[in-house]
Amino acid sequence: MLTYKTAGESHGKGIAAFVDGFPAGVAIDEAFIASELRRRQGGYGRGGRQTIETDAAEVMTGVLAGKSTGAPILLWVKNRDYKIESMPQLTRPRPGHGDLTGSIKYGVGIRPILERASARETAGRVAAGALAQLFLKELGIEVVGYVEAVGGVDLTPDESVLTLSPEEQRKARAGSALYSLRPGAEKDATALVDEMKTRGDTLGGVTTVRVYGAPFGLGTHAQWSTKLDGALAKAVMAIQAYKGVEIGDGFKLAATPGSQAHDEILWDDSERAERTLGFKRPTNRAGGLEAGMTNGQPIVVRGAMKPIPTLRRPLRSIDLTSKEQVEASFERSDVCAISAASVVMENVVAFEIAAAIVEKFGGDSLQEIKDRIELFEASARKRLEGEY
Ligand code: EPS
């Protein structure tokens, strides 16, 4: 089983990610992990913290001569802004954050709760997910995350951009201040971020992740707990500030008649040798998942992030000591972290896909997994040809 956990506080010594069950033989490109971490720090509307940090992950264990060994991998992202011991305890919980419930539940005050609940922790998830992406790339699986809306401003990419290769999509994204696939058409969105900054307010948005090249059959219909759409939804919903997740056309399908909600099954003999095994779907409303299993089409997951709850112009709250009606605490924060969130979502989705690969194909090493995918696809083709 491929799993990960994180540890660390926003202003503690650093953030750790512990990855267990990672196959042996994957070349660990530390520059790629660092570039994902740097992307997480960027995007239009971020706060002052990112000018302090230069995130990179130190690979502490499980890698020898540049390759994974099959042993647990511990990644360490050091915090430059380490000052937790000297930071004040807070008494005015921020609506929308974990401050109130966390302090009631743990009895440690607000400080330790906000330190752990902070989105700084996503540096660990991105580091672990970047590791997963290195593994997936070796199998021909590519993951691309981007921003699809900022506040109410729609940044849905043109269909023509989505037919480009993942590499070309990333190039388009690199030209965008907001990490959308619509560089050059973001003026309204950046203007809205500017306006919110002036007003002391914050903004959320929508992020989308597409996974290309996943084989048939990841996840299973046989048990609710092993359906891949469920695992993806959990991973995305568990990102700080996420309040909604959908797969494929998601909520839109609820208002669509069945005749227009599903993806018809066609055949293209010339694609027999590909990951699609020759099956063609003229649409992908299911987002690559049917009955909790991948169906050879691109996987499409979308998530909704609420605005960051730390407001320069705070909402009403209660002082936990005096019980007086006060304004909530303000600590340095971002106006809009949706671009960073798209990087986090890309990487948590990547990790779930990698975990589903290990679950289905087992294997202790990359080569064994490659061989098993080949074997599975070869036997699926034989079955389709009536050989068994
Ligand atoms: C973040 C680091 C934090 C916040 C933000 C995200 O750093 P600091 O609190 O030192 O400014 O900028 O965290 C939150 C939005 C939050 O609510 O905690 C990061 O590295 O992503």
Side-chain angles (χ1 to χ4, degrees):
M1 232 173 44
L2 175 59
T3 62
Y4 71 113
K5 290 264 167 87
T6 70
E9 284 76 30
S10 184
H11 304 94
K13 290 181 180 166
I15 304 287
F18 178 78
V19 180
D20 198 24
F22 195 80
V26 178
I28 304 303
D29 176 0
E30 291 188 38
F32 175 73
I33 303 174
S35 72
E36 284 300 274
L37 287 167
R38 292 294 291 159
R39 264 193 340 112
R40 194 202 72 89
Q41 290 194 266
Y44 200 80
R46 298 228 66 194
R49 177 71 181 272
Q50 307 313 325
T51 58
I52 301 172
E53 304 293 342
T54 316
D55 288 345
E58 198 177 339
V59 181
M60 308 290 270
T61 66
V63 175
L64 210 58
K67 287 200 168 174
S68 57
T69 62
I73 299 176
L74 182 68
L75 301 165
W76 178 247
V77 183
K78 194 174 170 197
N79 285 337
R80 285 198 179 170
D81 204 17
Y82 166 43
K83 57 181 181 191
I84 192 168
E85 283 89 356
S86 62
M87 294 185 89
Q89 210 23 301
L90 300 175
T91 58
R92 295 174 290 140
R94 294 162 298 171
H97 226 291
D99 301 353
L100 176 62
T101 304
S103 63
I104 289 171
K105 183 170 156 72
Y106 289 92
V108 291
I110 290 175
R111 171 61 59 194
I113 305 302
L114 88 83
E115 285 292 328
R116 179 62 187 152
S118 165
R120 171 95 193 130
E121 178 268 347
T122 60
R125 295 195 225 183
V126 168
L131 207 61
Q133 287 207 52
L134 293 172
F135 165 52
L136 293 177
K137 279 175 206 280
E138 298 262 17
L139 307 173
I141 302 170
E142 299 276 350
V143 188
V144 183
Y146 56 90
V147 170
E148 203 166 83
V150 176
V153 181
D154 181 40
L155 293 171
T156 304
D158 292 337
E159 265 315 304
S160 59
V161 178
L162 297 176
T163 56
L164 297 174
S165 70
E167 208 36 61
E168 284 168 314
Q169 291 185 27
R170 284 188 198 107
K171 266 192 211 143
R173 188 182 64 190
S176 150
L178 282 160
Y179 301 179
S180 82
L181 294 182
R182 299 194 60 170
E186 301 177 325
K187 243 178 46 216
D188 291 352
T190 51
L192 188 61
V193 174
D194 293 342
E195 189 190 325
M196 292 297 143
K197 187 173 182 180
T198 317
R199 281 206 225 149
D201 216 327
T202 58
L203 272 185
V206 176
T207 52
T208 304
V209 175
R210 290 174 181 262
V211 183
Y212 297 94
F216 264 90
L218 301 182
T220 154
H221 70 295
Q223 189 58 261
W224 68 267
S225 55
T226 48
K227 285 177 183 256
L228 184 58
D229 39 13
L232 290 170
K234 181 176 179 179
V236 174
M237 192 60 107
I239 300 171
Q240 283 82 340
Y242 272 65
K243 283 294 190 188
V245 186
E246 64 179 21
I247 309 276
D249 283 357
F251 278 75
K252 211 159 69 185
L253 293 176
T256 311
S259 58
Q260 291 153 51
H262 302 289
D263 308 309
E264 290 185 303
I265 303 173
L266 311 178
W267 180 254
D268 180 347
D269 212 50
S270 71
E271 283 191 15
R272 224 180 241 267
E274 306 199 0
R275 280 266 146 100
T276 59
L277 305 175
F279 293 100
K280 253 199 140 53
R281 315 300 282 264
T283 52
N284 186 22
R285 294 156 177 151
L289 283 147
E290 290 170 311
M293 297 177 283
T294 52
N295 64 4
Q297 300 301 306
I299 299 166
V300 184
V301 192
R302 202 166 275 111
M305 184 196 196
K306 69 180 180 182
I308 286 169
T310 310
L311 298 171
R312 200 172 287 278
R313 285 236 197 120
L315 296 174
R316 287 186 302 165
S317 183
I318 294 290
D319 186 291
L320 295 183
T321 317
S322 68
K323 312 299 177 297
E324 272 171 344
Q325 186 83 69
V326 290
E327 285 189 342
S329 307
F330 173 75
E331 288 213 343
R332 178 183 59 199
S333 188
D334 310 282
V335 177
C336 181
I338 194 68
S339 311
S342 74
V343 181
V344 178
M345 182 166 158
E346 173 178 313
N347 283 291
V348 299
V349 164
F351 201 96
E352 294 311 312
I353 303 299
I357 295 264
V358 169
E359 171 87 28
K360 159 127 185 72
F361 297 103
D364 302 314
S365 73
L366 174 65
Q367 191 55 53
E368 194 177 351
I369 292 170
K370 278 186 179 169
D371 290 346
R372 286 182 178 179
I373 293 176
E374 220 171 274
L375 179 70
F376 166 69
E377 291 182 338
S379 69
R381 283 187 195 100
K382 281 189 192 163
R383 209 175 294 122
L384 285 166
E385 280 154 26
E387 280 189 43
Y388 19 86

